[in-house]
């Protein structure tokens, strides 16, 4: 049985220092965002954080919301609602396609 690798955008490849450089967010802040549930980087067998392209995009969204004055609890709620909305849109489209057949 062959095991498919995860989509490239979800595979954790960046260490915390590279992610910090790419996003302009300090390592301590990245750790805080993880503790607060805003991001969920993958971990190596040794426990090292690995950030994916999706994590980088999510961090950009977090930065935008921080700049807009939203607190971390509000940011988590906004991100959760955006994710739910995206899932519902996909499901809605699937149902429309199913009904059209």
């Amino acid at each position: 049985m062959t095991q498919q690798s995860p989509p490239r955008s979800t595979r954790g490849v960046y260490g915390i220092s590279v992610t910090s450089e790419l996003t302009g967010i300090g390592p301590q802040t990245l750790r805080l965002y993880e503790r607060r549930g805003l991001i969920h980087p993958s971990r190596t067998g040794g426990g090292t954080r690995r950030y994916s392209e999706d994590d980088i995009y999510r961090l950009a969204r977090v930065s935008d919301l921080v700049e807009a004055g939203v607190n971390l609890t509000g940011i988590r709620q906004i991100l959760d609602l955006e994710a739910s909305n995206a899932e519902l849109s996909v499901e809605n489209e699937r149902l429309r396609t199913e009904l059209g057949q």
Side-chain angles (χ1 to χ4, degrees):
M1 176 184 269
T2 31
Q3 187 177 20
Q4 279 186 300
S5 61
R8 188 175 185 151
S9 67
T10 63
R11 197 173 70 220
V13 294
Y14 302 111
I16 195 166
S17 61
V18 173
T19 301
S20 177
E21 188 175 321
L22 290 172
T23 62
I25 300 169
Q28 292 292 5
T29 304
L30 291 171
R31 291 181 188 100
L32 172 67
Y33 289 170
E34 183 181 2
R35 281 194 307 273
R36 296 291 180 92
L38 300 179
I39 55 172
H40 306 284
S42 61
R43 300 278 183 148
T44 64
T48 303
R49 291 170 179 87
R50 291 289 180 216
Y51 297 87
S52 67
E53 285 293 327
D54 288 351
D55 292 328
I56 302 293
Y57 290 121
R58 187 171 176 97
L59 287 164
R61 180 70 177 127
V62 169
S63 292
D64 291 343
L65 292 168
V66 166
E67 287 178 24
V70 181
N71 66 28
L72 297 183
T73 301
I75 290 171
R76 189 177 62 231
Q77 290 174 345
I78 289 168
L79 294 175
D80 289 347
L81 287 170
E82 288 175 346
S84 293
N85 189 34
E87 290 172 14
L88 289 171
S89 292
V90 168
E91 179 66 9
N92 191 19
E93 186 59 35
R94 186 191 66 77
L95 291 171
R96 284 183 183 187
T97 301
E98 191 177 290
L99 286 173
Q101 294 179 358

